[in-house]
Amino acid sequence: MSLTGALLYLNDVTVTFDGFRALNGLSLVIEPGEMRAIIGPNGAGKTTMMDVITGKTRADRGEVLFEGARDLTRLDEAEIAELGIGRKFQRPTVFDHHSVFDNLLLALKGPRSVWPTLLAPLRGAERQRIREIMEIVRLRGLAAEIAGNLSHGQKQWLEIGMLLAQDPKLMLVDEPVAGMTDAETAATAELLREINRTRSVIVVEHDMAFVRELDVKVSVLHEGSVLAEGSLEHVSADPRVIEVYLGR
Amino acid sequence: MIARFFLAGFDRRVALALIAVLAIGTVVPLLNLMLPASHVLHVPDYMVALIGKYLTFALLALSVDLVWGYCGILSLGHGAFFALGGYAMGMHLMREIGPRGVYGHPVLPDFMVFLNWKELPWYWHGFDQFWFAALMVVLAPGLLAFALGWFAFRSRVTGVYLSIITQAMTFALMLAFFRNDMGFGGNNGLTDFKDLLGFNLQAATTRAGLLAASSLALALGLLLASAIVGSRLGKVLVALRDAEGRARFLGYPVERYKLFVFTISAAMAGVAGALYVPQVGIINPGEFSPANSIEAVIWVALGGRGTLVGPLIGAGLVNYLKTYLTAAMPDAWLFALGGLFILVTLALPRGVLGLFDRDARRPRTAAVDPIPKAAE
Amino acid sequence: MSPKRSDMRMPYPRRILGQLLLWISLCLSGQAIADAASLDQAIRRLGQGGFDGTEKAIGELLASGDPRVVPILEALAAGSLQVRKADGAIFIARQEGGEARLIDPLTGEVAGAASPGTMERVRMNNRLRRVIEAARGALTLRSPDPAIRRQAADALFRRADPDARVALEAALAAEKDPAIARRMREALAVLTLAGAAEEAARLEAVAVLARRGDRESLAILAPLAARGEGELSRAAEAARQAIEHELRLWEIGQNVWYGVSLGSVLLLAAIGLAITFGVMGVINMAHGEMVMIGAYTTFVVQEVIRAHMPGLSDYSLAAALPLAFAVSGLLGIAVERGIIRYLYGRPLETLLATWGLSLVLQQAIRSAFGPTNKEVANPSWMSGAFEVGHLAITWNRLWIVLFALSLFALLMTLLRRSAFGLQMRAVTQNRAMAGSMGIRTPMVDALTFGLGSGIAGIAGVALSQIDNVSPNLGQGYIIDSFMVVVFGGVGNLWGTLVGALTLGIVNKMVEPHAGAVLGKIMVLVFIILFIQKRPRGLFALKGRAFET
């Protein structure tokens, strides 16, 4: 096992909420540059897994290592984000009162502590990078638009754009196509593949068509641990997966 | 660099407010001092005191708005910071009295002689120096806010929980300051001041000067607030107000930002309190009453939270109404104030300023839910 | 005070008294009661011959040993014994309107009336008063009423009058009630220690006092123990320590009781809030005013009953309960429909609006009833106190503890067992789902808020019994109530119960050491720190659903 080579390494992670085991000895390895799809029925622990990786929820037991060395269980959300892990929520979460431009500016890799942000001026390079990202996430011309006024799909993309601006090494994406039209879904799959060229991605998704379109390794979560892993064809053929998830 | 920093959040409205504040600070004293009492434009002395008081209230409102309007922290304890600043100033004024007190003790203030105290408590030392008192005006509330915020924000106490904690804080302080043992004059507080920096507090010129100082402080506060709000840090504050989780996952150490703005705001409230005390001539534990803090919140809400000018308008309007009603119809005042709370939250969520706001830089949903849920 | 009294000791009346008491005990131990004629003569002589004459007459009365003498002496002590100037006859006078009604001292029957100026009071001085007091103690030791005998024994315990010894011993010999006999023995022990008895008897007396074990015994033993030498002193010291230790335990018990009592008050104030804030998430700053309005409802009900049905005064609280629930509850429903429903999901705005409402309600009550405190009387079954061991328990506190607990139990049952409770929990947990299943969520919201407010009203009925009924009544409880709910854990009624009792007890345990105000501040600071450690309270539900 080349643990040191893994980008993200989860070993025997357990999280309990009032006696309910949301995660039960979950182990998972993500390689650098990999895109992984996580599927599983409701309550399988997908979102809790994301919460543990990003520091929102503390694990009762187990290790979570980033780049082989950094123990994520000891850090808070902001520190983990600074390490290079970005997260997109299930419901699009952007800053509703800020313009598209400001949303991206806040996400842009750069100073995060109090005094530098108090004094930081806007640099030309930043402006340039924000224009590029707006191009990528198809929000060109909307720089001054207030984020709260965007459509649902546009918000999803703005949030992905913010993640791009953050320039993380690993991106966690929770149900990116929920509520999107077919065309938007296809475009999103395209976008994620594009993003995956430069960084690792973990996608949690219910939409099987979308997962098929992504065409990446799939982990099936069930009752807080990994039930099966492999290509979508491989896991779809697994009788246990059929039993708990796909079959009925 | 510094000029750019201070002009970042500047817009036409802030500029107008700044001019108006400074104009009040110069014109009112001049009209009071230069014109004979018989003149039509003469501003009577009581009016000078009143306007001076309103100016300090406006500064308090601005400090509340900085945390509530821009950062989503509804503090129900800013009256405590105001009062602490006031006590720091009051302690200096007490020391200034020196041997001229009723009991003629060279060092001890009258109430300590009365309580049979033998020497000055340690925390009263240094207050004979104006610079020290001035430092304490900012430090005492600032440190308290820092300590409270450090605990609360780190433990992620948010929303109404934080509001209640701040309310409990000011309530506890009120009880504490009522105690004679605390050494702050107990029930009666600090009063019977004589002079400040050698100027007789009863003199019309001193009062006019205090009004001018208050307007200057308010103008500086406005400038500072606009600089903070206009900076990238200001954008972070609004961002974490609207979606705290998102800001965290972008890597912003949210609690430090809150702590920063909470501390700055508390110090600002302290300055307001310090200017208030010499103008009204007394500070007592009643200033810590939770009702005072929450009243400051309604000034901000009425004027328009999340704007820099709204709190000033709100503080002026509500306090003018208070002055008028408590004299004309004392029974009606609480009905009016209570009604204002209900009316503003139900019908004017963006305050008076929101009525005139044609600014498109707001989401369409604003009328329904201007400040998204605070309890996450 | 007490050292002065011993300075004023007068040997003469004491000696007489000793003889008198001897007579009395002799008479009472089986002698025939003196005939009415000589008694009548003695009574007449009360009004003759100045103080000395009166004193002699008292002696004769006491010598008769007749229990009918007691009320006469009492009347004398109270100054209502009067002489008719015309014939020197003695009556107990009761003032009624302009004239005095005369009562025959022996028969207790009304013997006519007297116009002002025709009567003269039998004059008294302090010496006479003391004589009467001691004499009454001796007489009452043999009263047929056990309560009076007990009082008499206790009075002797406190006064330690060596002259009463003979009477006390005789009474003890005749006493059948073991509890009273014990008290008499204790009184005797005090006399033994005060006098010059033998060592063995004094040791025995120390043991008796040690068994009694209260503060008064301690006061008697402490000087003995302080002498520091001899077996008696050592025994006294041992007894003193034992008593002090036990008293300390009792004191802790007493503080716990005070704490439980305060806790039940907090529970009453907070329990309605636990519903509106805990279950619905609505922060109602006017909650205290709902309590206040409940208290004013109690006041109005009491006034109406007093005016129209004075016989039912003791039951006015029973009538006030449902009315206070209705008034506050309906007001709550109106508030929910009129204000709060527009503010769901915006807790900070709700906080401000309800604060405004609280100001309006306070001022409304102030305008209607005036700013001063209103008097709400305790019914007879809620006044007075009793003792358990060394615990002093007042009836009104006990009733309030019981009432708070029953209210809690009732509410728990309502939420757990009734259809309404089920709907309420359903709406709280998943509004959309509950709505789609046919539950009328707006109605449930209004009723839930009404329930919380109504319970606040009921709390007001109880609090009217122990607190000042004024427009500010509610303000005093609002911060405490929030502290209780937040401390206990939002959304958990058990947490509210435990939170209220814990805070009550902690407060009362800290109070004796730090004083009331500092104690309260310390509790507030404690809660502030606690909330930061456990932001969701003592009994917080943990889980993903709760955090998002």
Side-chain angles (χ1 to χ4, degrees), chain C residues 304-373:
Chain C
V304 167
I305 287 186
R306 195 176 274 169
H308 299 289
M309 299 163 274
L312 295 178
S313 282
D314 261 7
Y315 304 98
S316 78
L317 283 189
L321 281 179
L323 276 172
F325 181 81
V327 171
S328 292
L330 287 175
L331 186 63
I333 290 176
V335 167
E336 198 277 343
R337 288 288 86 188
I339 299 176
I340 291 181
R341 70 166 156 151
Y342 302 108
L343 298 171
Y344 280 121
R346 290 157 59 191
L348 299 182
E349 274 83 349
T350 317
L351 189 158
L352 294 177
T354 50
W355 175 270
L357 180 70
S358 81
L359 295 182
V360 170
L361 290 177
Q362 276 173 40
Q363 186 56 45
I365 292 289
R366 198 174 287 126
S367 299
F369 291 88
T372 50
N373 291 346

XYZ file of all heavy atoms in Angstrom, chain C residues 304-373:
526
model
N -62.972 40.330 42.265
C -64.367 40.060 41.922
C -64.990 39.141 42.968
O -66.086 39.382 43.466
C -64.461 39.450 40.508
C -65.845 38.886 40.271
C -64.098 40.490 39.470
N -64.238 38.088 43.319
C -64.790 37.144 44.298
C -64.956 37.815 45.655
O -65.957 37.645 46.346
C -63.884 35.899 44.395
C -64.080 35.065 43.132
C -64.210 35.088 45.639
C -63.380 33.756 43.139
N -64.002 38.627 46.023
C -64.068 39.306 47.307
C -65.296 40.217 47.351
O -65.967 40.333 48.365
C -62.802 40.129 47.518
C -62.599 40.574 48.941
C -61.288 41.299 49.090
N -60.176 40.400 49.332
C -58.898 40.785 49.283
N -58.603 42.035 48.957
N -57.924 39.944 49.540
N -65.603 40.835 46.211
C -66.716 41.777 46.179
C -68.064 41.061 46.152
O -69.023 41.515 46.762
C -66.578 42.687 44.967
N -68.128 39.946 45.439
C -69.449 39.341 45.234
C -69.668 38.048 46.010
O -70.783 37.718 46.350
C -69.675 39.084 43.739
C -69.629 40.345 42.931
N -70.623 41.289 42.991
C -68.702 40.814 42.066
C -70.310 42.295 42.195
N -69.149 42.043 41.627
N -68.600 37.277 46.226
C -68.781 36.016 46.934
C -67.697 35.871 47.990
O -66.804 35.023 47.873
C -68.690 34.840 45.945
C -69.739 34.867 44.879
S -69.278 33.785 43.505
C -68.274 34.861 42.530
N -67.728 36.699 49.017
C -66.613 36.719 49.970
C -66.355 35.361 50.608
O -65.234 35.060 50.996
C -67.049 37.742 51.016
C -68.426 38.155 50.674
C -68.789 37.629 49.342
N -67.392 34.511 50.699
C -67.210 33.202 51.331
C -66.266 32.309 50.551
O -65.707 31.358 51.087
N -66.127 32.595 49.249
C -65.338 31.703 48.403
C -63.899 32.180 48.220
O -63.172 31.652 47.391
C -66.004 31.577 47.031
C -67.373 30.895 47.046
C -67.975 30.868 45.668
C -67.245 29.482 47.597
N -63.491 33.174 49.006
C -62.175 33.780 48.820
C -61.046 32.760 48.759
O -60.112 32.901 47.977
C -61.877 34.768 49.943
O -62.561 35.960 49.695
N -61.165 31.713 49.596
C -60.083 30.734 49.634
C -59.948 29.976 48.328
O -58.944 29.329 48.078
C -60.329 29.749 50.782
C -59.498 30.130 52.005
O -58.882 31.213 51.955
O -59.485 29.356 52.963
N -61.004 30.005 47.505
C -60.948 29.227 46.273
C -60.700 30.098 45.055
O -60.832 29.643 43.930
C -62.242 28.421 46.105
C -62.489 27.556 47.311
C -63.356 27.962 48.323
C -61.796 26.359 47.466
C -63.528 27.198 49.453
C -61.960 25.578 48.595
C -62.831 26.007 49.593
O -62.981 25.241 50.706
N -60.356 31.378 45.277
C -60.210 32.264 44.120
C -59.059 31.819 43.234
O -59.096 31.995 42.028
C -60.035 33.711 44.578
O -58.733 33.931 45.017
N -58.040 31.173 43.821
C -56.937 30.704 42.986
C -57.413 29.638 42.020
O -57.011 29.599 40.857
C -55.822 30.127 43.855
C -54.920 31.126 44.554
C -53.741 30.406 45.181
C -54.438 32.176 43.592
N -58.273 28.758 42.501
C -58.788 27.694 41.641
C -59.536 28.297 40.458
O -59.454 27.799 39.336
C -59.705 26.775 42.446
N -60.251 29.368 40.706
C -60.969 30.017 39.611
C -60.009 30.757 38.699
O -60.227 30.854 37.484
C -62.002 30.982 40.176
N -58.923 31.260 39.297
C -57.982 32.053 38.499
C -57.198 31.186 37.520
O -56.841 31.638 36.435
C -57.020 32.801 39.420
N -56.938 29.928 37.899
C -56.111 29.071 37.037
C -56.650 28.971 35.614
O -55.956 29.323 34.668
C -55.936 27.689 37.661
C -54.906 27.576 38.785
C -54.866 26.156 39.324
C -53.528 27.980 38.303
N -57.878 28.478 35.441
C -58.364 28.361 34.056
C -58.488 29.719 33.369
O -58.213 29.826 32.179
C -59.730 27.691 34.210
C -60.112 27.901 35.614
C -58.848 27.977 36.404
N -58.859 30.743 34.131
C -59.014 32.061 33.518
C -57.682 32.619 33.048
O -57.566 33.157 31.941
C -59.665 33.020 34.505
C -61.185 32.931 34.520
C -61.752 33.747 35.649
C -61.740 33.409 33.188
N -56.653 32.465 33.902
C -55.332 32.964 33.510
C -54.840 32.211 32.286
O -54.269 32.791 31.355
C -54.344 32.803 34.657
N -55.077 30.897 32.270
C -54.689 30.110 31.096
C -55.392 30.645 29.859
O -54.782 30.840 28.804
C -55.039 28.641 31.325
C -54.647 27.750 30.178
C -53.333 27.311 30.050
C -55.566 27.359 29.229
C -52.949 26.509 28.989
C -55.184 26.555 28.163
C -53.877 26.132 28.051
N -56.688 30.909 30.008
C -57.459 31.380 28.860
C -56.999 32.756 28.408
O -56.774 32.988 27.212
C -58.945 31.409 29.219
N -56.828 33.664 29.353
C -56.462 35.040 28.967
C -55.100 35.065 28.282
O -54.952 35.557 27.161
C -56.449 35.962 30.216
C -55.868 37.316 29.868
C -57.861 36.115 30.756
N -54.102 34.490 28.958
C -52.756 34.504 28.361
C -52.716 33.671 27.091
O -52.048 34.032 26.124
C -51.722 33.978 29.355
O -51.576 34.871 30.407
N -53.421 32.541 27.108
C -53.427 31.668 25.936
C -54.036 32.358 24.726
O -53.475 32.323 23.625
N -55.184 33.005 24.923
C -55.830 33.695 23.792
C -54.956 34.851 23.303
O -54.815 35.056 22.093
C -57.206 34.214 24.212
C -58.259 33.114 24.375
C -59.556 33.691 24.903
C -58.492 32.404 23.048
N -54.364 35.532 24.273
C -53.452 36.609 23.878
C -52.304 36.044 23.045
O -51.916 36.607 22.016
C -52.917 37.300 25.135
C -52.066 38.533 24.894
C -52.885 39.604 24.212
C -51.518 39.058 26.208
N -51.796 34.892 23.492
C -50.712 34.239 22.759
C -51.128 33.893 21.339
O -50.379 34.125 20.383
N -52.327 33.349 21.189
C -52.804 32.996 19.846
C -52.907 34.247 18.985
O -52.491 34.262 17.819
C -54.161 32.270 19.948
C -53.946 30.884 20.564
C -54.805 32.146 18.572
C -55.197 30.104 20.808
N -53.423 35.311 19.584
C -53.543 36.565 18.831
C -52.166 37.060 18.408
O -51.972 37.505 17.267
C -54.243 37.619 19.687
N -51.184 36.952 19.313
C -49.836 37.417 19.000
C -49.235 36.573 17.870
O -48.616 37.091 16.941
C -48.950 37.341 20.258
C -47.485 37.518 19.901
C -49.386 38.389 21.257
N -49.466 35.258 17.954
C -48.917 34.383 16.919
C -49.515 34.739 15.561
O -48.810 34.858 14.568
C -49.191 32.928 17.286
C -48.326 31.925 16.562
C -48.806 31.556 15.174
O -50.001 31.822 14.836
O -48.024 31.023 14.394
N -50.844 34.897 15.544
C -51.508 35.208 14.275
C -51.153 36.614 13.789
O -51.047 36.855 12.589
C -53.026 35.103 14.438
C -53.582 33.698 14.589
C -53.533 32.906 13.301
N -52.241 32.237 13.128
C -51.867 31.608 12.029
N -52.676 31.579 10.969
N -50.708 31.029 11.952
N -50.987 37.517 14.720
C -50.807 38.906 14.316
C -49.362 39.291 14.026
O -49.110 40.186 13.216
N -48.421 38.648 14.687
C -47.032 39.074 14.540
C -46.112 37.918 14.156
O -45.448 37.940 13.121
C -46.516 39.687 15.870
C -47.350 40.916 16.248
C -45.055 40.068 15.750
C -46.983 41.515 17.587
N -46.124 36.907 15.009
C -45.043 35.935 14.916
C -45.059 35.133 13.624
O -44.018 34.798 13.076
C -45.096 35.035 16.164
C -44.702 35.898 17.356
C -44.179 33.848 16.034
C -44.655 35.230 18.646
N -46.244 34.851 13.106
C -46.278 33.989 11.929
C -45.611 34.648 10.722
O -45.222 33.970 9.784
C -47.709 33.608 11.592
C -48.519 34.746 11.066
C -49.784 34.196 10.454
N -50.805 35.207 10.442
C -51.754 35.223 9.504
N -51.773 34.320 8.578
N -52.672 36.157 9.551
N -45.507 35.959 10.750
C -44.815 36.617 9.642
C -43.308 36.546 9.789
O -42.579 36.994 8.921
C -45.241 38.086 9.553
C -46.731 38.264 9.366
C -47.532 38.740 10.385
C -47.330 37.933 8.157
C -48.899 38.887 10.220
C -48.697 38.071 7.970
C -49.467 38.551 9.016
O -50.810 38.680 8.836
N -42.869 36.066 10.920
C -41.441 36.142 11.217
C -40.791 34.774 11.389
O -39.668 34.681 11.861
C -41.216 36.977 12.487
C -41.679 38.422 12.409
C -41.611 39.074 13.774
C -40.850 39.217 11.418
N -41.507 33.692 11.008
C -40.908 32.367 11.178
C -39.614 32.265 10.403
O -39.500 32.757 9.281
C -41.871 31.274 10.731
C -42.895 30.978 11.796
C -44.248 31.116 11.538
C -42.500 30.582 13.066
C -45.184 30.874 12.514
C -43.425 30.337 14.044
C -44.768 30.483 13.774
O -45.684 30.248 14.751
N -38.622 31.636 10.999
C -37.330 31.483 10.348
C -36.446 32.698 10.519
O -35.340 32.730 10.000
N -36.941 33.713 11.214
C -36.111 34.892 11.449
C -36.096 35.190 12.935
O -36.755 36.103 13.419
C -36.663 36.081 10.667
C -36.462 35.896 9.160
C -37.429 36.699 8.355
N -37.323 38.128 8.634
C -38.225 39.015 8.209
N -39.276 38.621 7.509
N -38.075 40.277 8.476
N -35.362 34.385 13.679
C -35.437 34.464 15.148
C -35.053 35.841 15.693
O -35.635 36.291 16.673
C -34.442 33.405 15.609
C -33.596 33.097 14.431
C -34.426 33.358 13.221
N -34.098 36.501 15.050
C -33.672 37.790 15.605
C -34.773 38.836 15.467
O -35.015 39.629 16.381
C -32.396 38.266 14.923
C -31.192 37.333 15.096
C -29.964 37.905 14.434
C -30.925 37.065 16.562
N -35.469 38.800 14.336
C -36.584 39.739 14.159
C -37.705 39.423 15.144
O -38.325 40.323 15.705
C -37.143 39.668 12.734
C -36.424 40.539 11.750
C -35.169 39.856 11.215
O -34.765 38.822 11.762
O -34.613 40.378 10.247
N -37.929 38.106 15.349
C -38.958 37.718 16.313
C -38.612 38.268 17.682
O -39.477 38.785 18.400
C -39.064 36.187 16.378
O -39.022 35.680 15.052
C -40.334 35.773 17.052
N -37.348 38.153 18.031
C -36.876 38.652 19.323
C -37.226 40.144 19.470
O -37.792 40.564 20.481
C -35.372 38.433 19.389
C -34.619 38.675 20.692
C -33.322 37.904 20.653
C -34.332 40.129 20.915
N -36.916 40.919 18.426
C -37.157 42.361 18.519
C -38.645 42.675 18.581
O -39.091 43.488 19.399
C -36.520 43.071 17.327
C -34.993 43.007 17.297
C -34.456 43.659 16.043
C -34.421 43.664 18.535
N -39.411 42.027 17.725
C -40.844 42.326 17.695
C -41.499 41.970 19.025
O -42.310 42.729 19.562
C -41.513 41.562 16.557
N -41.122 40.810 19.585
C -41.748 40.420 20.842
C -41.260 41.284 21.998
O -41.981 41.482 22.965
C -41.502 38.934 21.159
O -40.115 38.659 21.035
C -42.275 38.051 20.209
N -40.045 41.793 21.871
C -39.591 42.747 22.897
C -40.480 43.986 22.863
O -40.924 44.488 23.903
C -38.136 43.130 22.667
C -37.665 44.195 23.608
C -37.728 45.539 23.399
C -37.131 44.012 24.911
N -37.237 46.203 24.494
C -36.861 45.295 25.446
C -36.841 42.885 25.678
C -36.317 45.481 26.699
C -36.304 43.082 26.935
C -36.045 44.355 27.438
N -40.738 44.457 21.641
C -41.638 45.598 21.491
C -42.993 45.298 22.097
O -43.578 46.116 22.819
N -43.470 44.081 21.815
C -44.756 43.683 22.372
C -44.724 43.717 23.895
O -45.679 44.166 24.544
C -45.088 42.263 21.894
C -46.394 41.704 22.383
C -47.546 42.441 21.706
C -46.481 40.215 22.105
N -43.607 43.285 24.468
C -43.537 43.262 25.933
C -43.630 44.683 26.494
O -44.278 44.901 27.514
C -42.247 42.574 26.388
O -41.152 43.465 26.337
N -43.022 45.643 25.789
C -43.121 47.035 26.248
C -44.574 47.498 26.206
O -45.075 48.141 27.134
C -42.265 47.949 25.370
C -40.757 47.725 25.413
C -40.053 48.727 24.523
C -40.249 47.844 26.835
N -45.251 47.152 25.088
C -46.647 47.579 24.944
C -47.506 46.966 26.045
O -48.323 47.658 26.676
C -47.168 47.188 23.547
C -48.665 47.395 23.463
C -46.444 47.989 22.473
N -47.305 45.674 26.300
C -48.125 45.005 27.315
C -47.869 45.592 28.701
O -48.806 45.834 29.470
C -47.843 43.503 27.318
C -48.344 42.742 26.087
C -47.950 41.275 26.170
C -49.856 42.861 25.958
N -46.611 45.841 29.004
C -46.295 46.437 30.307
C -46.986 47.778 30.483
O -47.599 48.050 31.511
C -44.794 46.673 30.425
C -44.004 45.482 30.875
C -42.526 45.779 30.795
O -42.095 46.865 31.127
N -41.751 44.819 30.363
N -46.878 48.592 29.430
C -47.452 49.926 29.542
C -48.973 49.842 29.611
O -49.612 50.617 30.322
C -46.993 50.794 28.365
C -47.409 52.245 28.463
C -46.927 52.917 29.752
O -45.788 52.767 30.152
N -47.815 53.637 30.410
N -49.548 48.882 28.864
C -51.002 48.733 28.882
C -51.476 48.408 30.292
O -52.435 48.992 30.802
C -51.421 47.645 27.902
N -50.781 47.459 30.925
C -51.160 47.076 32.290
C -50.937 48.251 33.245
O -51.753 48.528 34.129
C -50.352 45.844 32.741
C -50.777 44.613 31.939
C -50.526 45.593 34.222
C -52.147 44.087 32.280
N -49.841 48.966 33.026
C -49.540 50.112 33.889
C -50.635 51.163 33.754
O -51.104 51.727 34.744
C -48.179 50.684 33.534
C -47.579 51.565 34.604
C -46.159 51.979 34.260
N -45.213 50.884 34.394
C -44.379 50.491 33.437
N -44.381 51.088 32.270
N -43.562 49.491 33.633
N -51.053 51.407 32.526
C -52.101 52.405 32.322
C -53.424 51.953 32.931
O -54.172 52.756 33.458
C -52.300 52.659 30.823
O -51.115 53.141 30.252
N -53.696 50.655 32.844
C -54.989 50.165 33.321
C -55.030 50.003 34.836
O -56.031 50.328 35.474
C -55.316 48.835 32.641
N -53.946 49.493 35.417
C -53.983 49.158 36.838
C -53.109 50.062 37.698
O -53.054 49.905 38.908
C -53.531 47.711 37.054
C -54.498 46.689 36.539
C -54.428 46.242 35.232
C -55.496 46.187 37.364
C -55.319 45.310 34.758
C -56.399 45.246 36.892
C -56.304 44.820 35.580
N -52.352 50.940 37.055
C -51.446 51.785 37.832
C -50.111 51.097 38.036
O -50.019 49.882 37.918
N -49.098 51.887 38.346
C -47.742 51.342 38.421
C -47.428 50.625 39.726
O -46.411 49.973 39.836
C -46.863 52.596 38.285
C -47.706 53.704 38.803
C -49.140 53.342 38.539
N -48.305 50.728 40.717
C -47.946 50.183 42.032
C -48.243 48.694 42.120
O -48.986 48.144 41.317
C -48.718 50.902 43.139
O -50.092 50.903 42.750
C -48.239 52.317 43.306
N -47.671 48.063 43.145
C -47.902 46.646 43.363
C -49.349 46.396 43.743
O -49.952 47.172 44.475
C -47.017 46.139 44.501
C -45.559 46.138 44.100
O -45.243 46.267 42.931
N -44.700 46.020 45.082
